Amino acid sequence: MLFFTQCFGAVLDLIHLRFQHYKAKRVFSAAGQLVCVVNPTHSLKYAPTRCAAAPASTEQGLLPPCHHREAVHDPQLVPCTCPLFSCPWEGHLEVVVSHLRQTHRINILQGAEIVFLATDMHLPAPTDWIIMHSCLGHQFLLVLRKQEKYEGHPQFFATMMLIGTPSQANNFTYRLELNRNQRRLKWEATPRSVLERVDSVISDGDCLVLNTSLAQLFSDNGSLAIGIAITTSKVHSAEAEM
Amino acid sequence: MLFFTQCFGAVLDLIHLRFQHYKAKRVFSAAGQLVCVVNPTHSLKYAPTRCAAAPASTEQGLLPPCHHREAVHDPQLVPCTCPLFSCPWEGHLEVVVSHLRQTHRINILQGAEIVFLATDMHLPAPTDWIIMHSCLGHQFLLVLRKQEKYEGHPQFFATMMLIGTPSQANNFTYRLELNRNQRRLKWEATPRSVLERVDSVISDGDCLVLNTSLAQLFSDNGSLAIGIAITTSKVHSAEAEM
């Protein structure tokens, strides 16, 4: 009996996801766009930014401070910490993707343009919605965070980070687009490197910022659809043509 | 001697304005765009929204509440109050433009696409930067407001309002664009009617919202350049074609 109840629950979940997928497709009607339903991660308390702390000893030896990391010549061997809050993991850039997939169970999606559909926007802050996006030969991390910078006034912060060094990140441009109720909000910027950590990007305010009322205007039945596109930046393209 | 000092001051002001004009042109390099340098208005305390108060007696007689105003058939004869804070003026839609020009000395600009260059962004909240924009046979009011919704945390709110009724406003789409330091932020929406008042649009959060750090990223030497474009909305255009 328990088995049948579980099966029924799973079928209901599938129908719900299918419905959300359909809704997102309706919002972003461009052909060929992949819609990814992203559930929130657990709401954890924020750990202090480890860049400010003394470097910790790991199996790879002492890690240099964050701003000295690019001294390592092979970008894949640059030491890095987990970009997410409350995670004590430390390793190298070449293994951060497998850490995010295995430990944090973050999905990775292929495609030049995708739609990120964040569910349960009503959940209390702090909450993160995270996916990885693989395109143009690199992996990117999209983080949507609900956080109270001012007590009692949660805001949403969305940013895209390259799983690579800051100099590699300068070669790309990402675009986040919200589109609903005859309103459209577009944010275009150079992705920040995952070495800079999500916390510092959000505290700098260098990302797409939505207050609660604007997030409600763009959300549909508690879900927020964000269209994502990544391109090589024009400066880089112009250099390549020369 | 005083005359010469004043002349010298005026020449310096002109050079400063010319420099800001040149900078704005450099930011928005599209040919044919008109750059308008907008100085802040006086920082006044906010008056309560008059829509919530009992209708006041004027020479035109008792004004109906804001949400009943469209009952008047000729849009030009719809009663309205001054859309700006702290102004007790009340009249009709057909004379609000002349009131804004004469009493508040707000400039009116012609052109499909213009650049609004707000100066002295460092001034304390509350401060407004306002112009009128004439295109497509109508007048629009662009308001950039610095306001503290959360004490000690000023934010910038930008919106465009049609000097007309809500049903006339539905025929248009406006776009505000910030572009600097490899970042671009675009907001597209249907303008709200000037009958709805700036205060209520900002308290609803239905506008472009910038926190201080984002405003600093987009501003250059204390000035913020906002590209403005107004078009007839697609729904309206499609209906016209049928």
Side-chain angles (χ1 to χ4, degrees):
Chain A
M1 183 62 198
L2 184 67
F3 173 74
F4 286 109
T5 313
Q6 282 182 338
C7 282
F8 184 67
V11 168
L12 278 182
D13 280 353
L14 277 172
I15 291 169
H16 178 69
L17 286 175
R18 182 74 206 158
F19 180 64
Q20 284 186 321
H21 184 275
Y22 169 75
K23 275 195 303 183
K25 273 203 163 168
R26 200 157 43 98
V27 174
F28 291 85
S29 55
Q33 275 191 327
L34 179 68
V35 179
C36 175
V37 176
V38 186
N39 296 310
T41 60
H42 293 291
S43 302
L44 301 170
K45 289 285 169 202
Y46 290 86
T49 307
R50 272 161 297 181
C51 289
S57 174
T58 66
E59 57 187 325
Q60 288 86 17
L62 280 174
L63 292 177
C66 293
H67 55 281
H68 288 152
R69 281 177 181 157
E70 287 221 68
V72 179
H73 293 298
D74 183 353
Q76 293 303 307
L77 294 177
V78 173
C80 82
T81 55
C82 176
L84 310 182
F85 58 81
S86 309
C87 175
W89 182 88
E90 287 173 333
H92 285 153
L93 262 182
E94 68 177 345
V95 284
V96 73
V97 172
S98 56
H99 163 74
L100 290 166
R101 291 190 77 168
Q102 288 160 17
T103 311
H104 300 285
R105 299 187 177 280
I106 294 172
N107 286 327
I108 190 159
L109 295 165
Q110 306 278 339
E113 295 195 13
I114 60 169
V115 176
F116 174 102
L117 185 70
T119 63
D120 303 313
M121 300 292 289
H122 63 278
L123 286 178
T127 301
D128 277 359
W129 291 257
I130 304 168
I131 55 159
M132 278 187 289
H133 183 184
S134 175
C135 74
L136 303 170
H138 284 80
Q139 274 83 37
F140 298 84
L141 187 73
L142 182 86
V143 180
L144 172 69
R145 178 170 291 177
K146 187 176 186 179
Q147 189 176 331
E148 287 187 13
K149 266 194 170 184
Y150 318 125
E151 212 181 314
H153 301 285
Q155 288 177 293
F156 293 88
F157 302 86
T159 189
M160 188 144 241
M161 307 186 86
L162 175 77
I163 300 177
T165 62
S167 59
Q168 288 177 317
N170 282 337
N171 298 331
F172 299 98
T173 299
Y174 74 97
R175 192 184 71 218
L176 305 179
E177 184 174 338
L178 302 167
N179 189 357
R180 198 170 174 265
N181 278 332
Q182 294 178 296
R183 288 161 186 85
R184 185 177 293 183
L185 186 62
K186 273 189 201 178
W187 166 258
E188 271 180 39
T190 302
R192 301 279 283 265
S193 161
V194 83
L195 297 175
E196 298 178 61
R197 295 185 63 85
V198 180
D199 292 349
S200 62
V201 172
I202 288 174
S203 62
D204 289 355
D206 187 12
C207 54
L208 177 64
V209 185
L210 294 174
N211 55 28
T212 318
S213 52
L214 213 50
Q216 277 173 348
L217 276 170
F218 282 112
S219 67
D220 183 13
N221 204 16
S223 295
L224 187 73
I226 306 178
I228 304 168
I230 299 174
T231 51
T232 48
S233 57
K234 283 175 191 164
V235 178
H236 179 66
S237 307
E239 278 171 4
E241 283 166 12
M242 284 170 77
Chain B
M1 183 64 195
L2 184 67
F3 174 74
F4 286 110
T5 314
Q6 282 180 339
C7 282
F8 184 66
V11 167
L12 277 182
D13 280 352
L14 278 171
I15 291 168
H16 178 68
L17 286 175
R18 182 73 206 159
F19 180 63
Q20 283 185 321
H21 184 275
Y22 168 74
K23 276 195 302 184
K25 273 203 164 168
R26 199 157 43 97
V27 174
F28 291 86
S29 55
Q33 275 192 325
L34 178 68
V35 179
C36 174
V37 177
V38 185
N39 296 311
T41 61
H42 293 291
S43 302
L44 301 170
K45 290 284 168 202
Y46 289 86
T49 306
R50 272 162 299 182
C51 289
S57 174
T58 66
E59 58 187 323
Q60 287 87 17
L62 280 174
L63 293 175
C66 293
H67 55 279
H68 289 153
R69 280 176 181 159
E70 287 222 68
V72 179
H73 292 298
D74 182 354
Q76 294 302 308
L77 294 177
V78 172
C80 82
T81 55
C82 176
L84 309 183
F85 59 81
S86 309
C87 175
W89 182 88
E90 288 174 333
H92 285 153
L93 262 182
E94 69 177 345
V95 283
V96 74
V97 172
S98 57
H99 163 74
L100 289 167
R101 292 190 76 167
Q102 287 161 18
T103 311
H104 300 284
R105 299 187 177 280
I106 294 173
N107 286 326
I108 189 159
L109 295 165
Q110 306 278 339
E113 295 195 12
I114 59 169
V115 176
F116 174 102
L117 186 70
T119 62
D120 303 313
M121 300 292 290
H122 64 277
L123 285 177
T127 302
D128 278 358
W129 291 257
I130 304 168
I131 55 159
M132 279 188 288
H133 183 184
S134 175
C135 74
L136 303 169
H138 284 81
Q139 274 84 36
F140 299 84
L141 187 72
L142 182 86
V143 180
L144 171 68
R145 178 169 291 177
K146 188 176 185 178
Q147 189 176 330
E148 286 187 14
K149 266 194 169 183
Y150 318 124
E151 212 181 316
H153 301 284
Q155 289 177 292
F156 293 89
F157 302 87
T159 189
M160 189 146 240
M161 308 186 84
L162 176 77
I163 299 176
T165 62
S167 59
Q168 288 177 316
N170 282 337
N171 298 330
F172 299 97
T173 299
Y174 74 97
R175 191 183 72 219
L176 305 179
E177 184 174 339
L178 302 166
N179 189 357
R180 199 171 173 265
N181 279 331
Q182 295 178 296
R183 288 160 186 86
R184 186 177 293 183
L185 186 62
K186 273 190 201 178
W187 165 259
E188 271 180 40
T190 302
R192 301 278 284 265
S193 160
V194 83
L195 298 175
E196 298 178 61
R197 296 185 64 85
V198 180
D199 293 349
S200 62
V201 173
I202 288 174
S203 61
D204 290 354
D206 187 13
C207 54
L208 177 64
V209 185
L210 293 175
N211 55 27
T212 319
S213 51
L214 213 50
Q216 277 173 347
L217 276 170
F218 282 113
S219 66
D220 183 14
N221 203 17
S223 295
L224 186 73
I226 306 178
I228 305 168
I230 299 174
T231 52
T232 48
S233 57
K234 282 175 190 165
V235 178
H236 180 66
S237 307
E239 279 171 4
E241 282 165 12
M242 283 170 78

